Structure formats: C-alpha cells, structure tokens
Amino acid sequence: MGAKKYYVIWKGKETGVFSSWDKVKKLVQGVEGAKYKSFGSKAEANIAIKKILRLSRL
C-alpha cells in the first residue's frame, strides 16, 4: 500500500482538499480544464489551496 495522499482541486465541481482519489475523480471528470494535484501531506495540501485561492483573487 502506498503513502497517504491528499488532493487539491482548484477547478472542478467542488474545490478544496480531499483525501480520496475516488472522490476527486468524480469531482473533476467531465469538467473542461479541471485542475488538481496530489500532495504527500495534508499540511502541504492546505498551504497549496491557500496560495491558489489567494492568487485567484488578484
């Protein structure tokens, strides 16, 4: 079994940090230009989503 991953979706049916690839897959399938990325820790994922959200407000 691999290491636990966390996923950030910043363009999909929902945005945020998720711990299930199956959930992420459902939230990005069918979304044109969906944007998401995996991270090795929840802390890294939380930092990434905060940066992404801050940049999107500029």
Side-chain angles (χ1 to χ4, degrees), residues 2-53:
K4 178 81 171 161
K5 287 188 178 180
Y6 293 87
Y7 305 89
V8 173
I9 301 175
W10 62 95
K11 184 176 179 191
K13 295 173 187 168
E14 288 182 36
T15 60
V17 176
F18 302 88
S19 60
S20 163
W21 171 245
D22 288 334
K23 172 111 177 159
V24 170
K25 196 164 48 170
K26 290 175 185 172
L27 294 173
V28 298
Q29 273 184 329
V31 176
E32 188 174 337
K35 296 189 185 289
Y36 55 96
K37 184 176 178 179
S38 67
F39 293 87
S41 75
K42 190 172 186 178
E44 287 178 306
N46 283 326
I47 290 168
I49 192 74
K50 286 176 186 172
K51 285 182 181 178
I52 291 163
L53 293 174

